[in-house]
C-alpha cells in the first residue's frame, strides 16, 4: 500500500525515480492518493483472511505533507479496527506521531517499524539524504520503538561505492542496531542499483556534491544495473557474523518471512 507517489526526501540514490515505476516527473511533485483510506476500508471489509499490511515499499508514508494530511494515520486506524497487522517503512521521525496506533496493533496482532539506515556520519547523511531525519534522529526513533515494545527491522541499503562503503560506516550502523535491539536487518548486498531515471539524478547529485566521482562510477560500472563494491563479500560476512552473535534475523528470505507472518495475539470480533 502506497498512499503517495513521489517523495520530497531528496535521497540521491532513490530507485523509485526509475522510469519503470512511471511516476510522473518532477518526482518531488507528490501525487496524493486522497481516497486511499476509503479503498483500504473497502478492501479489508471484503478480505476474509487476516494478514500483514505494508506501506513504504515504494514511497515513504511519512513525507512532511503527511503531518497535516494524516492519510497514513487514517489507514493505520482502519488496519487496527479490522484486526490486521501492519508494517511501516520510513526514514522520518514523523512516525513517532503514530506510535500509539502501532502499539495498539502490536498488542492485538503485529506491528513492525522498518527504518532505513545507510550512513553513520551525520554530515555525509545530510548530503545523500538531505531532506529527511538524520541517522542519529532515526536511531532515536528506533530507541523509542524499543521502549514502546514495537519490533523494528533496519534496512542497510543502499550503500554507495566510494562514498560510504567502509567497515567503519557499517560497524557504526550495526552498533545502533544493537543498542536499539532490532529484530532483523535487511541487506541485499553492499552497493546499489542504477537504471534509467534514477541513474541520471544520481549522477547529477554526484557532480554537485562529489565532484569527479561520476567518472569513477562510469569507468568502474558502465551501465550496470547492479553496482556492488569490490569488498562486498568481506563486509557482508561482517554483517552476517554480527547478526549471528546478536541473534538478529538476517538473510532477505528470513527477514521477509518475519515481516509477512501474521500473528493474532487476541481474538478480534468486528
Amino acid at each position: 500500500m502506497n498512499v503517495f507517489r513521489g517523495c520530497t526526501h531528496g535521497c540521491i540514490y532513490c530507485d523509485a525515480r526509475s522510469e519503470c515505476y512511471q511516476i510522473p516527473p518532477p518526482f518531488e511533485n507528490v501525487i496524493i492518493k486522497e481516497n486511499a483510506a476509503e479503498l483500504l476500508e473497502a478492501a479489508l471489509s471484503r478480505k476474509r483472511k487476516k494478514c500483514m499490511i505494508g506501506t513504504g515499499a515504494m514511497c515513504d508514508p511519512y513525507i512532511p505533507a503527511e503531518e497535516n494530511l494524516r492519510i497514513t494515520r487514517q489507514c493505520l486506524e482502519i488496519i487496527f479496527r479490522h484486526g490486521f497487522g501492519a508494517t511501516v517503512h520510513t526514514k522520518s521521525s514523523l512516525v513517532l506521531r503514530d506510535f500509539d496506533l502501532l502499539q495498539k496493533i502490536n498488542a492485538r496482532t503485529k506491528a513492525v517499524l522498518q527504518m532505513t539506515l545507510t550512513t553513520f556520519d551525520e554530515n555525509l547523511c545530510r548530503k545523500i539524504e538531505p531532506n529527511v531525519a538524520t541517522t542519529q534522529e532515526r536511531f532515536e526513533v528506533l530507541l523509542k520503538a524499543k521502549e514502546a515494545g514495537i519490533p523494528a527491522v533496519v534496512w542497510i541499503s543502499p550503500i554507495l561505492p566510494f562514498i560510504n562503503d567502509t567497515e567503519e560506516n557499517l560497524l557504526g550502523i550495526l552498533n545502533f542496531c544493537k543498542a536499539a535491539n532490532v529484530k532483523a536487518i535487511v541487506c541485499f548486498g553492499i552497493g546499489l542499483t542504477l537504471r534509467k531515471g534514477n541513474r541520471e539524478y544520481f549522477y547529477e547529485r554526484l557532480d554537485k556534491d562529489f565532484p569527479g566521482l561520476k567518472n569513477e562510477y562510469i569507468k568502474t560500472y558502465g551501465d550496470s544495473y547492479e553496482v556492488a563494491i569490490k569488498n562486498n563479500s568481506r563486509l557482508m560476512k561482517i554483517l552476517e557474523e554480527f547478526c549471528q552473535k546478536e541473534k538478529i534475523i538476517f538473510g532477505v528470505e528470513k527477514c521477509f518471512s518475519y515481516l509477512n507472518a501474521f500473528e493474532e495475539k487476541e481474538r478480534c470480533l468486528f
Side-chain angles (χ1 to χ4, degrees), residues 62 66 70 72-74 76 94-103 150:
Y62 288 101
E66 166 60 20
R70 300 173 71 86
T72 298
R73 183 170 179 87
Q74 291 173 39
L76 289 175
L94 180 57
V95 68
L96 289 169
R97 181 201 65 188
D98 294 341
F99 265 28
D100 60 328
L101 276 171
L102 293 176
Q103 282 181 293
I150 301 168

Side-chain angles (χ1 to χ4, degrees), residues 67-216:
E67 185 170 4
N68 293 321
L69 292 171
R70 300 173 71 86
I71 298 174
T72 298
R73 183 170 179 87
Q74 291 173 39
C75 290
L76 289 175
E77 289 170 341
I78 292 167
I79 290 169
F80 171 69
R81 190 167 67 252
H82 285 276
F84 284 73
T87 174
V88 292
H89 191 170
T90 184
K91 296 176 190 167
S92 172
S93 58
L94 180 57
V95 68
L96 289 169
R97 181 201 65 188
D98 294 341
F99 265 28
D100 60 328
L101 276 171
L102 293 176
Q103 282 181 293
K104 288 181 180 179
I105 295 170
N106 195 52
R108 178 180 288 171
T109 60
K110 185 170 78 178
V112 182
L113 169 65
Q114 297 185 73
M115 185 73 74
T116 296
L117 301 179
T118 65
T119 309
F120 180 68
D121 181 271
E122 290 288 278
N123 292 326
L124 183 57
C125 177
R126 276 294 178 218
K127 281 187 175 183
I128 68 175
E129 300 161 341
N131 306 322
V132 70
T134 66
T135 301
Q136 178 65 39
E137 291 168 337
R138 283 175 247 171
F139 170 55
E140 291 169 3
V141 173
L142 290 170
L143 289 178
K144 290 178 181 178
K146 176 184 174 182
E147 293 173 6
I150 301 168
V153 173
V154 164
W155 288 59
I156 301 181
S157 175
I159 301 296
L160 311 181
F162 314 117
I163 296 177
N164 60 345
D165 57 341
T166 65
E167 183 175 335
E168 178 185 13
N169 181 59
L170 178 61
L171 291 176
I173 294 171
L174 291 178
N175 285 331
F176 278 160
C177 292
K178 178 180 178 180
N181 194 29
V182 303
K183 185 76 175 180
I185 293 176
V186 178
C187 183
F188 293 93
I190 309 298
L192 77 158
T193 58
L194 292 175
R195 49 187 161 189
K196 188 169 179 58
N198 77 315
R199 177 184 285 109
E200 289 79 2
Y201 183 77
F202 180 66
Y203 282 169
E204 178 185 324
R205 291 304 302 264
L206 289 185
D207 280 339
K208 179 180 178 182
D209 297 320
F210 304 93
L213 196 52
K214 180 179 75 173
N215 291 335
E216 191 69 24

Side-chain angles (χ1 to χ4, degrees), residues 7 10 16 21 25 42 51 103 123 137 152 167 232 260:
C7 186
Y21 298 119
C51 64
Q103 282 181 293
N123 292 326
E137 291 168 337
E167 183 175 335
N232 175 69
N260 292 330

